[in-house]
Amino acid sequence: MSENVVHLHKNTDPPADPAAVTTLTVVPDPAPAAPVPLWVRSGRAVKTVVTHETTKTAVRAVARHGLYTFNGGRIVARRTWDGRTGARYERMLRAAEAAGNYEVAEEWEERLQRFREARHRRRMDLLHSPVDAAKGVAVGAGMSVGVLVALGVVMAINNGDVADVITPLAATIAFIGLLIRIVQVVWGPAFTIGPFLALLALWAVGSKQQAAPAWSMPDNVRSSEGEPITPSIVVKALRDLGVPALRNAIKEMGDAGASMLGPIRIAGCGVEVDVTLPSGVATNEVQSKRRKLAENLTRHEHEVFITIPQAARTVRLWIADSGALDEPIGPSPLVTDDTVTADYAKGRAPWGQDLRGDAAALSLYQRHLLITGLSNQGKTAALRALALWAVLDKTVEFRIADLKGAGDWAMFEGLATVLIQGPTDEHVIEATEMLEGLVAEMERRMEQRRLDPSIVFPPLIGLVDEAQVAFMCPAVDEDKKPYGGSKATSRYFMAVRKVHNQGRVVNVLMWEGTQDPTDQNLPKLVREGAHTRASLALGTESQARMALGDKAVDGGAAPNLLRPGLDKGTLVVASDGIAIPAGQASITVRTHFIDDEGATAITDRARAMRDGVTTLTVIERGEERDPLADIASVIGDASRLLTLDILKRLAALNEDAYGAWTFGDLKRVLEAEGEEPKKSNGRMVVHRDHVLRALANRDGDDSASAAG
């Protein structure tokens, strides 16, 4: 559109100076927006009305009450049919046959036969009843008229009026006429209101049974959080599971499937029930539909556990109270009771609670241990909880390598004879040499056991947290042997395998914690060498099989169904060291969480029980050793130490220098300095003061020689 230009000036003549002309540009109004069509506005309004919550509530209410009436009619019809036919007996007969209970089936067949005979007699009686009824009415009417006439005669004699003879009969006829008139008056409204009353009765039946789908129920009913588990709910959940053979079998059962269920038992924060499946339904068909079964039971998937007990064709369902598994289980007894002690050989470590709410305690005696799971799910806390209990037995020695290095094991300083903390290749090398020292100690013990089969060795536990770092380490030694990997030349792998193969019999054990298992970071031979296998939340079923083994997973163990983040500290455990219900291959344990402050308090108690332990934080290699100084170092603050313990600590200090030492070597070094082991309570010990005196004398002699 062209612009409109207006020239403003005082005279009508054109101005001499064009600059004096004021030019005003008038911009026209923009074109008006196109009006919104009426059908668009109407559509938006309809959508708003249809999707409004009030509309949804009203539609649900109409559907709900309509279905109450319809399904109430179905219920009444079914009850009427069952009452007038042998359908109920036939259903119970089929259920007994399906369950294989033929004695009960014969009993129901006899009842059905008696019912049919009684029904036949009633029908035959109906053939003669009209004649009998007519005779009865005639006789009754005649007698009634006779009685009324006799009463009238008595009244006539009494009153002296012959007309009173028919007075009782006339009164009776008038009363019958009144009843007829009442019926005529009431019949019309009753005929009109009667159907509505019948519908109301059907609605009442349907409402009482809540015979409407869940989507039509009000919010407070539709949200069935915490709904108690009843036999009917369990059977309905199984019927709607989507297994055709199971659904058809339940429909054919006379008791609607109730015979499949054992008693529903309270089990901790939930209930437990055994379900005997009908013929043609396999247990794995139910196991594979855990999520659908949980939703049918108005629970979340993690609140339903399916295991296989000893009985054939049976699944065991454990169903948690809604939201119960999200509640904490409380502190560990190690924290709340400072009088708790440990007994490695006979005791059990308090680890947490099982799903039934019972205490879950684990025996550590001569059992290698593996704990795995995804990152940040509580693996270190679960592993540390066991170590905190074991360290309260002063006979237990720990050698620890924390390949995360975040300080989770720092409180074991002064308790563990070796404590390596860090994630680098150098730390992996030190951890490997720590395990090789473990192997050397194991072989030394086995040699002693060969000479003296009755000897009992104190427990020695090698613990590696974040072991996947070691298996994935690329470092190689001077002989080109890799530290990581899973080949026969891999030093870490072979050390673990040797301890797994022979360590248990001489109380040398291997504990490992690892995350996100694969065949590369957790080799098959290593994971299958553990006697106790536990898993936190995992990502896939294949990882669950790596962590726990095929038997446990086939028996219902499913750490891959735990919720990462929400089920922190919840373990699925496969071990003979923990009480597992008969027929099950695993148990789910919610572990106690012990924070750093509580762990430090426990280790302080353990430290007070011991004479003093020197913790090595670096494994030294390839240097000249001073045996006397090393002896003083490993004795630490203890006033005296058994010669056997000194030899073990020297081997841990430097395997190359002291791994092959015997009592004779120790005695030779001390005698060369004018000291020797002494006997205390029948056992050979070395006194700290004697070693320090020998060191002082040697240093004094060295100083005098230097001055000379």
Side-chain angles (χ1 to χ4, degrees):
M1 182 179 293
S2 61
E3 294 182 347
N4 295 326
V5 180
V6 180
H7 298 282
L8 300 179
H9 50 81
K10 296 179 181 180
N11 301 320
T12 58
D13 298 331
D17 186 3
V21 178
T22 302
T23 302
L24 177 63
T25 302
V26 180
V27 180
D29 293 337
V36 178
L38 179 62
W39 66 271
V40 174
R41 294 199 301 270
S42 300
R44 291 173 180 170
V46 170
K47 181 179 179 181
T48 301
V49 171
V50 169
T51 59
H52 195 274
E53 188 61 33
T54 303
T55 305
K56 293 180 180 179
T57 303
V59 170
R60 284 202 301 266
V62 171
R64 178 170 67 254
H65 293 293
L67 289 169
Y68 279 166
T69 304
F70 176 76
N71 291 326
R74 292 179 57 190
I75 293 171
V76 170
R78 179 67 176 270
R79 291 174 179 175
T80 303
W81 177 258
D82 286 346
R84 300 187 63 82
T85 67
R88 176 183 292 108
Y89 299 95
E90 291 174 357
R91 286 200 306 272
M92 299 301 290
L93 175 60
R94 288 195 300 269
E97 288 177 343
N101 197 339
Y102 297 107
E103 293 182 0
V104 175
E106 290 177 1
E107 181 181 345
W108 280 110
E109 188 174 14
E110 291 176 3
R111 292 184 181 183
L112 175 60
Q113 187 63 30
R114 290 197 297 268
F115 170 81
R116 287 172 174 170
E117 291 175 356
R119 183 179 60 184
H120 177 71
R121 287 195 300 270
R122 289 194 302 271
R123 288 176 177 175
M124 295 303 296
D125 291 342
L126 287 175
L127 296 176
H128 305 286
S129 59
V131 177
D132 295 338
K135 291 180 179 179
V137 169
V139 173
M143 292 180 63
S144 299
V145 170
V147 170
L148 292 174
V149 171
L151 180 61
V153 171
V154 173
M155 292 177 60
I157 295 173
N158 183 60
N159 297 329
D161 187 357
V162 177
D164 286 343
V165 173
I166 61 172
T167 297
L169 187 60
T172 301
I173 294 172
F175 178 72
I176 294 173
L178 177 62
L179 292 178
I180 292 173
R181 285 194 297 274
I182 292 174
V183 170
Q184 289 175 338
V185 172
V186 174
W187 177 254
F191 186 79
T192 303
I193 298 173
F196 293 100
L197 295 177
L199 291 175
L200 181 61
L202 296 179
W203 175 89
V205 173
S207 175
K208 185 176 181 180
Q209 298 292 327
Q210 291 194 348
W215 61 264
S216 66
M217 306 300 271
D219 291 338
N220 60 336
V221 175
R222 189 153 36 96
S223 177
S224 51
E225 291 285 330
E227 183 178 0
I229 298 299
T230 62
S232 60
I233 288 176
V234 176
V235 172
K236 186 176 183 297
L238 293 168
R239 185 195 67 194
D240 299 338
L241 204 54
V243 180
L246 180 59
R247 181 180 62 250
N248 295 335
I250 291 175
K251 286 182 178 180
E252 292 176 358
M253 292 180 182
D255 57 356
S259 60
M260 297 192 307
L261 306 184
I264 297 179
R265 304 176 295 273
I266 295 176
C269 57
V271 296
E272 186 177 73
V273 59
D274 286 351
V275 181
T276 302
L277 300 176
S279 178
V281 182
T283 54
N284 63 342
E285 292 184 88
V286 177
Q287 278 187 299
S288 63
K289 295 181 178 292
R290 177 184 174 190
R291 173 175 293 182
K292 190 170 185 179
L293 178 61
E295 292 173 351
N296 290 349
L297 292 167
T298 65
R299 295 295 189 271
H300 297 292
E301 184 179 11
H302 72 278
E303 294 176 329
V304 174
F305 288 81
I306 306 172
T307 55
I308 309 299
Q310 285 181 324
R313 217 173 63 212
T314 302
V315 294
R316 177 169 294 162
L317 307 180
W318 185 86
I319 307 159
D321 298 335
S322 184
L325 293 183
D326 297 326
E327 299 293 329
I329 65 169
S332 168
L334 299 178
V335 176
T336 58
D337 186 359
D338 58 7
T339 63
V340 171
T341 58
D343 185 341
Y344 160 79
K346 299 179 182 179
R348 291 177 178 262
W351 212 6
Q353 293 180 0
D354 62 17
L355 296 179
R356 295 163 182 80
D358 299 328
L362 179 68
S363 172
L364 307 176
Y365 180 66
Q366 293 188 345
R367 289 178 176 88
H368 302 304
L369 172 67
L370 172 66
I371 299 179
T372 188
L374 297 178
S375 177
N376 196 32
Q377 298 304 308
K379 166 181 52 62
T380 296
L383 186 60
R384 190 174 70 177
L386 297 177
L388 288 171
W389 177 82
V391 82
L392 292 175
D393 183 341
K394 62 182 181 180
T395 66
V396 176
E397 177 188 351
F398 273 101
R399 299 181 187 179
I400 299 174
D402 173 16
L403 298 182
K404 179 165 58 177
D408 294 327
W409 297 89
M411 67 286 301
F412 281 80
E413 177 80 28
L415 285 173
T417 53
V418 177
L419 180 58
I420 299 165
Q421 301 181 86
T424 67
D425 289 350
E426 182 64 26
H427 292 102
V428 172
I429 292 172
E430 292 179 355
T432 302
E433 294 181 351
M434 179 190 81
L435 292 190
E436 289 173 343
L438 214 66
V439 172
E441 172 63 17
M442 175 190 73
E443 292 172 346
R444 186 188 66 80
R445 291 184 176 191
M446 294 186 68
E447 180 62 23
Q448 287 187 286
R449 171 67 64 85
R450 186 181 65 82
L451 299 175
D452 182 5
S454 64
I455 189 171
V456 177
F457 297 100
L460 171 59
I461 300 174
L463 189 154
V464 180
D465 195 10
E466 305 295 342
Q468 76 280 354
V469 176
F471 285 113
M472 301 302 291
C473 178
V476 295
D477 63 11
E478 60 274 8
D479 297 326
K480 304 301 181 182
K481 291 183 178 180
Y483 287 93
S486 57
K487 297 181 179 179
T489 57
S490 301
R491 292 179 59 179
Y492 181 88
F493 170 75
M494 290 306 299
V496 173
R497 288 292 300 137
K498 288 177 181 178
V499 174
H500 278 176
N501 289 339
Q502 298 177 317
R504 185 184 66 84
V505 295
V506 289
N507 275 335
V508 177
L509 304 178
M510 187 72 217
W511 291 7
E512 286 184 291
T514 183
Q515 69 181 29
D516 203 7
T518 65
D519 283 327
Q520 289 71 40
N521 65 25
L522 187 59
K524 186 175 188 293
L525 292 177
V526 170
R527 59 183 185 249
E528 292 187 351
H531 302 99
T532 295
R533 299 167 71 173
S535 177
L536 297 122
L538 287 173
T540 64
E541 182 180 323
S542 63
Q543 286 186 316
R545 292 183 181 276
M546 291 181 190
L548 300 176
D550 291 336
K551 180 181 178 182
V553 174
D554 292 338
N560 53 300
L561 296 181
L562 295 174
R563 303 166 298 166
L566 298 177
D567 289 326
K568 272 189 176 182
T570 299
L571 287 160
V572 182
V573 184
S575 172
D576 61 352
I578 194 169
I580 296 178
Q584 295 182 202
S586 65
I587 187 171
T588 301
V589 176
R590 304 171 68 200
T591 58
H592 296 296
F593 174 70
I594 303 176
D595 59 19
D596 289 346
E597 182 180 353
T600 301
I602 296 169
T603 52
D604 287 343
R605 297 206 312 264
R607 210 172 280 113
M609 298 167 57
R610 304 177 184 230
D611 292 333
V613 175
T614 300
T615 298
L616 304 179
T617 57
V618 176
I619 305 295
E620 300 178 356
R621 305 178 299 278
E623 61 179 346
E624 195 70 26
R625 307 299 308 182
D626 182 349
L628 190 61
D630 286 344
I631 293 171
S633 173
V634 298
I635 291 177
D637 296 332
S639 60
R640 62 180 180 270
L641 198 64
L642 293 173
T643 55
L644 184 62
D645 290 339
I646 292 176
L647 291 172
K648 288 193 301 183
R649 295 184 184 186
L650 286 172
L653 178 64
N654 191 297
E655 175 62 26
D656 294 335
Y658 303 118
W661 265 37
T662 64
F663 174 74
D665 297 313
L666 177 62
K667 184 178 179 182
R668 172 179 50 78
V669 170
L670 292 174
E671 287 179 343
E673 301 296 338
E675 302 294 344
E676 62 180 7
K678 306 292 183 182
K679 184 171 288 189
S680 175
N681 296 325
R683 305 183 72 182
M684 299 303 293
V685 300
V686 176
H687 290 268
R688 174 175 175 270
D689 293 342
H690 296 176
V691 178
L692 295 179
R693 182 172 59 198
L695 278 172
N697 292 338
R698 189 185 65 178
D699 293 341
D701 293 341
D702 292 343
S703 299
S705 299

